[in-house]
Amino acid sequence: MRIFHRARHRPSATWRQTTDRAFTLIGDGRYEDAGALLVMAADLEPWLSDSWFNLALLHKFRRDWEQARSAGLRAVALLDREHGAPDWWNLGITATALQDWPLARRAWQAYGLKLPGGPSVDGPVSLDLGTTPVRLSPDGESEVVWGRRLDPSRIEVLSIPLPSSGRRWGEVVLHDGAPHGERVTDGVAYPVFDEIELWAPSPVPTYVVLLQASTAADRDALERLVADAGYAAEDWTSSVRLLCRACSESRMAADDGLAAHHDPHDDGDAAHPGHLSHLSQGGAAGMSWLVERECGLAAPAHLVRALLDRWVAAAPDSRAYRDLEEVC
């Protein structure tokens, strides 16, 4: 195949060395230096789609979406296969970040995805891709939460994130395509995707409150009450599990609060837990229920205390709360 009267060929040794050095610099966070090398590589081999794909990746890492779109379009123009190229997937992420919906549809379809309505549909890409875990703030105090996939590169957060992540329930985050780790629940493995950036903020604040819930049924009643109001409550005492980075990016069982989980780096055991052990206080056999629960609440300021008061009023002998505080 010929493009602009020049046959495709293998990249030169200089191109490969320059590109390898650039990605080493990217790994060190030296994006400016890496960019100079990738521009040099593109000058050496302008006929290679990889030259422009690599530049598009760099611009994505830098969140320079206009430059990423420009390089991505040059990359796909030089492809020698119709479907499945990562160049199209990367361009789909870029187009979604820019809300360039015609380009996003073109990219996902060129990659090989079937979209409802065909290319003439306006507005955001909307797909029913189910739920999946997403790692928020992967470069900081990262946290894996569950969300609903709106399309191949956007997830709506369904869990209530901890305030350290800087994210809220109901926010939509842009995520990368390569999974880092898995979470297994009910025997099904779900890939964990890394957040790239916040795509749409949520106006709903996050509160933390200490509950006095005599039974799990009392705790469940609050979660149902808040959900029925259109918002969310989450028992962080049972749902939060601390993991090192290596474990977080591996295949781990999801913590549903119903079973005990033991940190693999802890030298303790179930009978004599070590200092790293985290045993979720759910319904696992042999585990006592903790009456005091730390709970996250996602609800508007004018409603959150009213919901808690209604919860207590339904069973005042077994329910109470204190220390309500807005944290994010």
Side-chain angles (χ1 to χ4, degrees):
M1 178 179 178
R2 291 178 176 272
I3 296 180
F4 303 116
H5 308 291
R6 179 168 178 172
R8 288 190 179 277
H9 59 279
R10 294 176 60 84
S12 66
T14 302
W15 183 94
R16 292 195 297 270
Q17 292 166 1
T18 302
T19 301
D20 289 346
R21 175 58 180 160
F23 276 92
T24 298
L25 293 173
I26 289 173
D28 294 336
R30 298 170 58 184
Y31 292 150
E32 293 296 331
D33 294 336
L37 291 176
L38 289 179
V39 169
M40 184 185 305
D43 288 340
L44 288 169
E45 302 285 359
W47 316 102
L48 284 176
S49 62
D50 285 353
S51 294
W52 303 104
F53 173 68
N54 293 336
L55 269 173
L57 275 180
L58 172 67
H59 294 313
K60 181 182 74 173
F61 297 151
R62 298 174 62 186
R63 315 298 189 256
D64 187 343
W65 298 114
E66 293 289 351
Q67 291 291 338
R69 177 168 55 185
S70 177
L73 286 170
R74 296 193 68 167
V76 298
L78 295 168
L79 288 174
D80 57 1
R81 56 172 166 157
E82 292 185 4
H83 299 295
D87 309 65
W88 283 113
W89 191 277
N90 200 56
L91 188 58
I93 294 174
T94 298
T96 302
L98 292 168
Q99 300 187 43
D100 184 346
W101 300 119
L103 180 59
R105 291 178 182 279
R106 176 188 167 201
W108 300 133
Q109 289 172 325
Y111 184 80
L113 301 181
K114 293 183 178 180
L115 303 183
S120 61
V121 176
D122 294 327
V125 175
S126 180
L127 296 173
D128 183 11
L129 299 178
T131 57
T132 196
V134 59
R135 181 175 292 104
L136 304 176
S137 303
D139 297 325
E141 294 190 33
S142 64
E143 177 183 1
V144 175
V145 300
W146 287 86
R148 179 169 65 94
R149 296 193 73 186
L150 305 177
D151 65 20
S153 61
R154 289 183 301 148
I155 293 176
E156 179 187 9
V157 176
L158 299 179
S159 302
I160 302 178
L162 296 174
S164 57
S165 73
R167 295 286 174 259
R168 289 177 167 182
W169 171 84
E171 290 188 325
V172 177
V173 296
L174 190 73
H175 71 84
D176 223 334
H180 277 167
E182 293 180 331
R183 294 297 181 269
V184 181
T185 181
D186 295 329
V188 179
Y190 296 86
V192 180
F193 297 102
D194 283 352
E195 172 196 346
I196 297 176
E197 67 180 14
L198 178 63
W199 191 86
S202 169
V204 181
T206 302
Y207 291 84
V208 62
V209 63
L210 288 178
L211 303 179
Q212 298 293 316
S214 296
T215 67
D218 289 312
R219 182 271 317 275
D220 295 344
L222 176 63
E223 293 183 348
R224 286 194 302 270
L225 177 67
V226 178
D228 288 344
Y231 299 99
E234 183 176 331
D235 180 6
W236 283 343
T237 298
S238 63
S239 68
V240 174
R241 184 181 179 195
L242 301 178
L243 295 172
C244 70
R245 179 174 291 274
C247 289
S248 178
E249 296 180 356
S250 66
R251 182 185 177 96
M252 300 293 293
D255 192 345
D256 58 5
L258 300 178
H261 292 281
H262 181 261
D263 192 298
H265 298 294
D266 193 0
D267 58 5
D269 55 40
H272 304 90
H275 70 285
L276 293 178
S277 287
H278 171 82
L279 300 179
S280 60
Q281 297 294 326
M287 295 176 62
S288 60
W289 174 257
L290 291 180
V291 172
E292 186 167 271
R293 322 289 298 179
E294 185 176 55
C295 180
L297 277 169
H302 70 276
L303 188 60
V304 63
R305 193 175 292 275
L307 288 169
L308 287 165
D309 289 341
R310 194 185 311 167
W311 172 71
V312 171
D317 293 337
S318 61
R319 302 173 187 175
Y321 73 91
R322 61 182 176 86
D323 298 342
L324 178 66
E325 179 186 2
E326 182 178 342
V327 291
C328 184

